[in-house]
PDB file of all heavy atoms in Angstrom:
ATOM      1  N   MET A 116      78.817 -18.868   4.032  1.00 96.00           N
ATOM      2  CA  MET A 116      78.529 -17.657   4.954  1.00 96.00           C
ATOM      3  C   MET A 116      79.573 -16.555   4.636  1.00 96.00           C
ATOM      4  O   MET A 116      80.865 -16.921   4.599  1.00 96.00           O
ATOM      5  CB  MET A 116      78.582 -18.072   6.461  1.00 96.00           C
ATOM      6  CG  MET A 116      78.409 -17.009   7.375  1.00 96.00           C
ATOM      7  SD  MET A 116      78.475 -17.436   9.159  1.00 96.00           S
ATOM      8  CE  MET A 116      76.787 -18.181   9.222  1.00 96.00           C
ATOM      9  N   VAL A 149      74.580 -16.871   3.002  1.00 96.00           N
ATOM     10  CA  VAL A 149      74.062 -16.357   4.254  1.00 96.00           C
ATOM     11  C   VAL A 149      74.876 -15.598   4.960  1.00 96.00           C
ATOM     12  O   VAL A 149      76.122 -15.777   4.998  1.00 96.00           O
ATOM     13  CB  VAL A 149      73.412 -17.524   5.223  1.00 96.00           C
ATOM     14  CG1 VAL A 149      74.670 -18.487   5.563  1.00 96.00           C
ATOM     15  CG2 VAL A 149      72.723 -17.076   6.377  1.00 96.00           C
ATOM     16  N   ILE A 185      61.040  -2.421  -3.981  1.00 93.00           N
ATOM     17  CA  ILE A 185      60.686  -3.076  -5.198  1.00 93.00           C
ATOM     18  C   ILE A 185      59.629  -2.239  -5.924  1.00 93.00           C
ATOM     19  O   ILE A 185      59.892  -2.113  -7.309  1.00 93.00           O
ATOM     20  CB  ILE A 185      59.930  -4.415  -4.759  1.00 93.00           C
ATOM     21  CG1 ILE A 185      60.933  -5.395  -4.130  1.00 93.00           C
ATOM     22  CG2 ILE A 185      59.293  -4.983  -6.092  1.00 93.00           C
ATOM     23  CD1 ILE A 185      60.266  -6.499  -3.557  1.00 93.00           C
ATOM     24  N   ASN A 201      68.038 -19.102  -5.350  1.00 96.00           N
ATOM     25  CA  ASN A 201      69.374 -19.517  -4.689  1.00 96.00           C
ATOM     26  C   ASN A 201      69.057 -20.167  -3.380  1.00 96.00           C
ATOM     27  O   ASN A 201      69.898 -21.261  -3.090  1.00 96.00           O
ATOM     28  CB  ASN A 201      70.330 -18.323  -4.528  1.00 96.00           C
ATOM     29  CG  ASN A 201      70.656 -17.677  -5.724  1.00 96.00           C
ATOM     30  OD1 ASN A 201      70.788 -18.218  -6.889  1.00 96.00           O
ATOM     31  ND2 ASN A 201      71.111 -16.402  -5.711  1.00 96.00           N
ATOM     32  N   SER A 247      98.950 -27.581  19.897  1.00 87.00           N
ATOM     33  CA  SER A 247      98.725 -26.117  19.659  1.00 87.00           C
ATOM     34  C   SER A 247      99.337 -25.207  20.771  1.00 87.00           C
ATOM     35  O   SER A 247      99.390 -23.959  20.606  1.00 87.00           O
ATOM     36  CB  SER A 247      97.269 -25.805  19.449  1.00 87.00           C
ATOM     37  OG  SER A 247      96.771 -26.598  18.493  1.00 87.00           O
ATOM     38  N   ASN A 254     112.596 -19.901  31.617  1.00 85.00           N
ATOM     39  CA  ASN A 254     113.863 -19.479  32.155  1.00 85.00           C
ATOM     40  C   ASN A 254     114.402 -20.788  32.973  1.00 85.00           C
ATOM     41  O   ASN A 254     114.896 -20.468  34.119  1.00 85.00           O
ATOM     42  CB  ASN A 254     113.819 -18.365  32.987  1.00 85.00           C
ATOM     43  CG  ASN A 254     113.460 -17.002  32.043  1.00 85.00           C
ATOM     44  OD1 ASN A 254     113.997 -16.973  31.050  1.00 85.00           O
ATOM     45  ND2 ASN A 254     112.681 -16.126  32.644  1.00 85.00           N
ATOM     46  N   THR A 260     109.671 -31.090  37.757  1.00 84.00           N
ATOM     47  CA  THR A 260     110.112 -32.443  37.929  1.00 84.00           C
ATOM     48  C   THR A 260     109.969 -32.933  39.443  1.00 84.00           C
ATOM     49  O   THR A 260     110.245 -34.023  39.870  1.00 84.00           O
ATOM     50  CB  THR A 260     111.498 -32.572  37.677  1.00 84.00           C
ATOM     51  OG1 THR A 260     112.388 -31.735  38.345  1.00 84.00           O
ATOM     52  CG2 THR A 260     111.775 -32.298  36.134  1.00 84.00           C
ATOM     53  N   SER A 286      79.120 -17.738  29.481  1.00 64.00           N
ATOM     54  CA  SER A 286      80.353 -17.285  29.924  1.00 64.00           C
ATOM     55  C   SER A 286      81.496 -18.246  29.603  1.00 64.00           C
ATOM     56  O   SER A 286      82.628 -17.882  29.311  1.00 64.00           O
ATOM     57  CB  SER A 286      80.410 -16.918  31.435  1.00 64.00           C
ATOM     58  OG  SER A 286      80.278 -18.181  32.069  1.00 64.00           O
ATOM     59  N   TRP A 305      78.413 -28.499  23.573  1.00 74.00           N
ATOM     60  CA  TRP A 305      78.206 -28.832  24.914  1.00 74.00           C
ATOM     61  C   TRP A 305      79.266 -29.613  25.500  1.00 74.00           C
ATOM     62  O   TRP A 305      79.546 -30.683  24.945  1.00 74.00           O
ATOM     63  CB  TRP A 305      76.758 -29.518  25.108  1.00 74.00           C
ATOM     64  CG  TRP A 305      75.591 -28.819  24.814  1.00 74.00           C
ATOM     65  CD1 TRP A 305      74.892 -28.957  23.708  1.00 74.00           C
ATOM     66  CD2 TRP A 305      75.062 -27.688  25.423  1.00 74.00           C
ATOM     67  NE1 TRP A 305      73.875 -28.018  23.645  1.00 74.00           N
ATOM     68  CE2 TRP A 305      73.853 -27.188  24.736  1.00 74.00           C
ATOM     69  CE3 TRP A 305      75.303 -27.072  26.716  1.00 74.00           C
ATOM     70  CZ2 TRP A 305      73.166 -26.093  25.218  1.00 74.00           C
ATOM     71  CZ3 TRP A 305      74.561 -26.016  27.035  1.00 74.00           C
ATOM     72  CH2 TRP A 305      73.483 -25.621  26.370  1.00 74.00           C
ATOM     73  N   ILE A 310      88.603 -29.939  31.559  1.00 85.00           N
ATOM     74  CA  ILE A 310      89.685 -29.843  32.505  1.00 85.00           C
ATOM     75  C   ILE A 310      90.443 -28.634  32.241  1.00 85.00           C
ATOM     76  O   ILE A 310      91.060 -28.412  31.124  1.00 85.00           O
ATOM     77  CB  ILE A 310      90.664 -31.181  32.246  1.00 85.00           C
ATOM     78  CG1 ILE A 310      89.892 -32.452  32.463  1.00 85.00           C
ATOM     79  CG2 ILE A 310      91.795 -31.057  33.237  1.00 85.00           C
ATOM     80  CD1 ILE A 310      90.705 -33.632  32.132  1.00 85.00           C
ATOM     81  N   ALA A 345     105.380 -20.593  40.045  1.00 73.00           N
ATOM     82  CA  ALA A 345     104.157 -19.862  39.470  1.00 73.00           C
ATOM     83  C   ALA A 345     104.487 -19.882  37.842  1.00 73.00           C
ATOM     84  O   ALA A 345     105.593 -19.762  37.379  1.00 73.00           O
ATOM     85  CB  ALA A 345     104.058 -18.547  39.917  1.00 73.00           C
TER      86      ALA A 345
END
Side-chain angles (χ1 to χ4, degrees):
M116 176 178 282
V149 59
I185 295 172
N201 291 338
S247 299
N254 291 327
T260 57
S286 62
W305 293 108
I310 302 172

